[in-house]
Amino acid sequence: MKVILVGAPGSGKGTQAKRFADGLHIPHISTGDILREAVRNGTELGKQADPIMASGALVPDDLMVGIVAERLGQDDAKEGFILDGFPRTVAQAEMLDGFLGRGNGAGGVNVVHLLVPDELIVNRIAARRSCGACGASYHLENSPPKQDSLCDRCGGVLETRPDDVESAVRKRLETFHRQTVPVIDYYRAKNVLHEVDGNAPVDEVFERVKKSLRA
Ligand code: AP5
């Protein structure tokens, strides 16, 4: 199964994608995670992406397209994948169609749009904490760590993501509406879009996404 999750920042893409990837035994490919790992490792890509991400803008298409083409070419993605955070521009969506080899049908993908109002997003992001070492994500109320400020997975220190400060969140929301909503329209026109209300507890949203994909 090939699934693309789209939605505003903080709409729950990463949370849902992890569940699906575990359940379906397909890789969860998050372009945000790939970029954050590059920043942590101080690679050339990370150095370029760091200030752009911190500002809430998008990393240039030519860089993103190379990263995703390389990742989708790996063996574990042959049987399916769940893409989280890509495509974010129409140019990226067109590249993905070309890469998947079926330009007119969006390459056999199912696209799930998680709908969450902007005002809820701000609250969700304010309560998010991420592990500086492994990138695991927590929510102070909905999925808190077992030990205060420490990652359950690796024991790393939990911190606020640099792009989770209010000014960057506002910019990310604006970027989403201006550059990524046209991607949603693009997939709607191809009849591969499933709209799912993401304003519910995590388990309920998971059930809704499953139902939409079965339909
Ligand atoms: P990326 O990491 O993709 O960030 P994003 O799209 O802003 O999404 P988030 O990771 O903030 O949120 P999410 O939707 O995954 O929600 P989550 O599950 O974490 O990208 C970061 C940056 O990288 C971009 O701004 C850009 O600069 C760059 N980038 C990435 N991809 C790019 C591309 N293709 N092209 C160009 N640039 C690119 O949930 C959020 C919080 O809410 C968590 O605390 C979670 O626990 C909680 N939560 C989740 N679900 C629920 C629920 N149902 N109820 C209550 N709380 C919930």
Side-chain angles (χ1 to χ4, degrees), residues 136-174:
S137 176
Y138 299 85
H139 186 280
L140 294 180
E141 289 150 25
N142 305 326
S143 52
K146 292 192 184 86
Q147 280 193 68
D148 207 21
S149 305
L150 290 182
C151 178
D152 295 350
R153 198 158 74 182
C154 76
V157 176
L158 299 185
E159 44 196 47
T160 302
R161 248 169 62 175
D163 59 345
D164 279 353
V165 297
E166 198 190 330
S167 57
V169 173
R170 253 191 271 115
K171 171 75 179 169
R172 284 158 66 198
L173 279 168
E174 185 266 323

Side-chain angles (χ1 to χ4, degrees), residues 6-211:
V6 289
S11 56
K13 301 182 296 295
T15 302
Q16 297 298 330
K18 281 187 190 73
R19 291 191 167 209
F20 270 93
D22 290 348
L24 295 170
H25 306 291
I26 53 177
H28 166 206
I29 301 174
S30 156
T31 44
D33 286 350
I34 292 171
L35 291 169
R36 278 184 288 278
E37 192 182 352
V39 172
R40 276 198 297 278
N41 293 336
T43 65
E44 212 36 61
L45 168 67
K47 285 180 192 148
Q48 282 187 65
D50 192 14
I52 302 173
M53 293 169 77
S55 76
L58 293 184
V59 174
D61 286 340
D62 54 345
L63 272 181
M64 296 313 303
V65 158
I67 293 168
V68 171
E70 194 274 329
R71 182 62 187 89
L72 290 180
Q74 293 176 19
D75 281 350
D76 66 343
K78 297 246 178 329
E79 299 302 317
F81 50 79
I82 180 148
L83 264 175
D84 156 14
F86 187 97
R88 267 177 141 94
T89 65
V90 171
Q92 292 181 10
E94 288 170 347
M95 164 269 158
L96 186 62
D97 282 359
F99 186 83
L100 296 176
R102 275 157 269 165
N104 290 333
V109 295
N110 284 286
V111 182
V112 176
H113 175 202
L114 289 177
L115 283 150
V116 179
D118 286 5
E119 56 274 19
L120 283 179
I121 297 276
V122 175
N123 169 276
R124 280 191 188 181
I125 289 184
R128 173 165 53 193
R129 296 294 178 273
S130 307
C131 176
C134 76
S137 176
Y138 299 85
H139 186 280
L140 294 180
E141 289 150 25
N142 305 326
S143 52
K146 292 192 184 86
Q147 280 193 68
D148 207 21
S149 305
L150 290 182
C151 178
D152 295 350
R153 198 158 74 182
C154 76
V157 176
L158 299 185
E159 44 196 47
T160 302
R161 248 169 62 175
D163 59 345
D164 279 353
V165 297
E166 198 190 330
S167 57
V169 173
R170 253 191 271 115
K171 171 75 179 169
R172 284 158 66 198
L173 279 168
E174 185 266 323
T175 302
F176 169 75
H177 287 290
R178 186 166 42 84
Q179 292 186 268
T180 307
V181 167
V183 174
I184 294 165
D185 297 336
Y186 174 91
Y187 286 121
R188 185 179 292 112
K190 287 178 180 280
N191 278 326
V192 292
L193 183 72
H194 307 263
E195 304 264 22
V196 172
D197 182 355
N199 181 15
V202 172
D203 290 344
E204 173 64 29
V205 176
F206 186 60
E207 290 307 315
R208 291 177 186 178
V209 175
K210 275 201 295 194
K211 193 172 164 199

